[in-house]
């Protein structure tokens, strides 16, 4: 029998949990901490918080949400969006995150993946890959929540990462 894990993804913009359709048409749906509690009570094994516009606006503002949720919810949390440095990772882990997820910063500076894994452990380092189908077949890696093309083939980027 296979083990199945339920990981709830909570997309965040500013201080709000948001919902979109195909990564567009975002609307506010409530407090991320409240939804995190509901998911944990319903049996989620892990939470994934993603600030969907953090890289676009050059920010990382999930610190307060992480700290609030960590005080009330006792399942692992992975945090993504706007993480660009070892200091960003350190601050999130200190507030209660268990892992960080990198996409945009990793594609621009692949060595950051190794630096984070060396300092905090591979178990705390996740590389997230967003992709779009290329004309003629294959997939291209994207950044900034699917807004920007990297020119990287997904399979090749996966191997490098």
């Amino acid at each position: 029998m296979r083990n199945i894990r339920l990981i709830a993804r909570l997309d965040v913009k500013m201080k709000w949990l948001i919902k979109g359709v195909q990564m567009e048409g975002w609307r506010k749906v409530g407090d991320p901490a409240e939804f995190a509690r509901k998911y944990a009570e319903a049996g989620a094994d892990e939470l994934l918080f993603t600030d969907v516009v953090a890289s676009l606006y050059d920010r990382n503002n999930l610190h307060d949400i992480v700290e609030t949720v960590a005080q009330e919810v006792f399942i692992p949390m992975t945090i993504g969006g706007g993480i660009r440095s070892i200091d960003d990772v350190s601050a999130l882990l200190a507030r209660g995150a268990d892992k960080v997820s990198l996409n945009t910063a990793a594609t621009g500076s692949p060595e950051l993946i190794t630096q984070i894994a060396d300092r905090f452990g591979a178990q705390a380092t996740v590389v997230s890959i967003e992709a779009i189908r290329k004309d003629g077949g294959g997939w291209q890696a994207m950044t900034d929540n699917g807004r920007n093309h990297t020119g990287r083939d997904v399979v090749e980027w996966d191997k490098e990462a």
Side-chain angles (χ1 to χ4, degrees):
M1 181 172 177
R2 293 173 34 159
N3 289 333
I4 296 174
R5 296 191 56 208
L6 176 63
I7 301 173
R9 177 178 167 152
L10 296 101
D11 291 332
V12 177
K13 182 177 179 184
M14 303 294 283
K15 63 179 183 173
W16 298 101
L17 182 69
I18 58 171
K19 173 73 174 119
V21 175
Q22 295 183 346
M23 307 309 267
E24 293 183 9
W26 302 107
R27 61 183 169 83
K28 296 177 188 175
V29 294
D31 174 23
E34 179 183 329
F35 278 82
R37 282 189 296 276
K38 289 179 182 179
Y39 278 121
E41 290 167 2
D45 297 299
E46 186 171 334
L47 301 170
L48 168 60
F49 285 95
T50 303
D51 184 333
V52 297
V53 293
S55 293
L56 183 65
Y57 293 112
D58 198 31
R59 69 172 185 232
N60 181 336
N61 70 340
L62 293 177
H63 297 105
D64 291 341
I65 292 170
V66 171
E67 200 163 19
T68 299
V69 172
Q71 292 172 4
E72 301 176 26
V73 176
F74 304 102
I75 60 175
M77 282 190 292
T78 302
I79 309 302
I83 299 167
R84 293 175 290 283
S85 70
I86 294 288
D87 289 341
D88 290 340
V89 175
S90 183
L92 288 165
L93 295 176
R95 285 173 172 79
D98 296 280
K99 304 176 205 175
V100 295
S101 176
L102 306 169
N103 178 18
T104 302
T107 60
S109 301
E111 66 278 1
L112 182 60
I113 302 165
T114 302
Q115 292 169 357
I116 293 169
D118 286 348
R119 173 106 180 249
F120 303 104
Q123 80 288 345
T125 311
V126 175
V127 176
S128 172
I129 300 175
E130 298 171 357
I132 188 170
R133 188 181 303 273
K134 296 189 291 190
D135 292 337
W139 295 86
Q140 180 181 162
M142 305 289 287
T143 62
D144 296 310
N145 207 43
R147 289 178 186 82
N148 296 316
H149 298 259
T150 65
R152 291 177 179 262
D153 176 78
V154 166
V155 174
E156 294 303 314
W157 170 229
D158 176 58
K159 290 176 185 176
E160 181 183 345

